[in-house]
Amino acid sequence: MNIEIRKLTPELVEDYVHFFDTTPHSTNKDEHRCYCVCWCNDNYKNKDFSTAEKRRDIAIEYVKGNNIQGYLAYCDNKVIGWCNANTKSDCFECISWHMFMKSVDKDESSPGIKVKSVFCFAIAPEMRGKGIAELLLRRVCEDAKKDGFDYVEAYPNKEFINTEEDFMGPVKLYEKLGFVICYEFDNKYVMRKKLK
């Protein structure tokens, strides 16, 4: 397989939305099609995420404004995977942080620490189990190191349930790339890879 990992840029907006338009996600119902707009560096207040069409429009706006950050995996110029990876401190006002991450340490006791957070993977069903998430995560770590981040952080479930419930990736993926468990909250671990 010829896999290429590309950093999401405004020029790739059509590829990005087409991936979510055409890739089965979660229950495969339109009302659950996320476009990954809930993990971003924008304040969720006054945003309407109620329909797939509205989420798609917000996704276009977010990609063009660099509010959603991450990486697309391509095979033969077709998007087959996505990893949402953003600067942790920029995402405290997104809706998913408020819904799921209130117990995560915001690193306020360590000023100057720069953390890249991995929030989500979406892999086309026919490409699952082929190492695509690992390639995406490796690229996140490589670029984060080049960009001066101190850590890459992830929030996997303690126990793998299924691909849809475990969109943050399995613990073993992170362990393979040198992440260690820092602490736990609810049913999740906070795992970190030190870059410096």
Side-chain angles (χ1 to χ4, degrees), residues 39 100-101 104 117-121 137 152-162 165-175 179-193:
W39 298 106
F100 305 116
M101 309 290 277
V104 173
S117 285
V118 176
F119 292 120
C120 181
F121 289 96
L137 185 57
V152 176
E153 190 169 275
Y155 317 96
N157 288 338
K158 292 177 186 175
E159 293 185 35
F160 186 84
I161 301 165
N162 59 48
E165 294 290 328
D166 295 281
F167 56 85
M168 290 188 172
V171 170
K172 64 182 179 179
L173 168 65
Y174 297 106
E175 289 176 336
F179 285 70
V180 296
I181 295 169
C182 297
Y183 61 94
E184 56 187 80
F185 70 99
D186 302 327
N187 67 331
K188 292 185 173 295
Y189 289 121
V190 173
M191 299 185 74
R192 273 190 171 181
K193 180 180 176 74

Side-chain angles (χ1 to χ4, degrees), residues 27-92:
T27 60
N28 203 24
K29 295 179 181 177
D30 274 353
E31 61 262 32
H32 297 150
R33 194 170 295 280
C34 68
Y35 293 91
C36 212
V37 293
C38 295
W39 298 106
C40 66
N41 61 17
D42 189 38
N43 191 311
Y44 74 95
K45 293 178 181 172
N46 301 316
K47 298 285 183 188
D48 184 354
F49 300 112
S50 62
T51 67
E53 292 76 21
K54 289 176 181 178
R55 290 188 296 275
R56 187 183 197 278
D57 290 343
I58 291 169
I60 291 169
E61 172 191 328
Y62 277 0
V63 173
K64 288 181 176 179
N66 291 311
N67 299 106
I68 296 176
Q69 295 180 11
Y71 296 83
L72 293 166
Y74 288 77
C75 182
D76 299 326
N77 285 316
K78 177 186 174 187
V79 179
I80 53 149
W82 159 249
C83 175
N84 184 317
N86 210 324
T87 301
K88 179 181 179 181
S89 60
D90 290 347
C91 297
F92 297 151

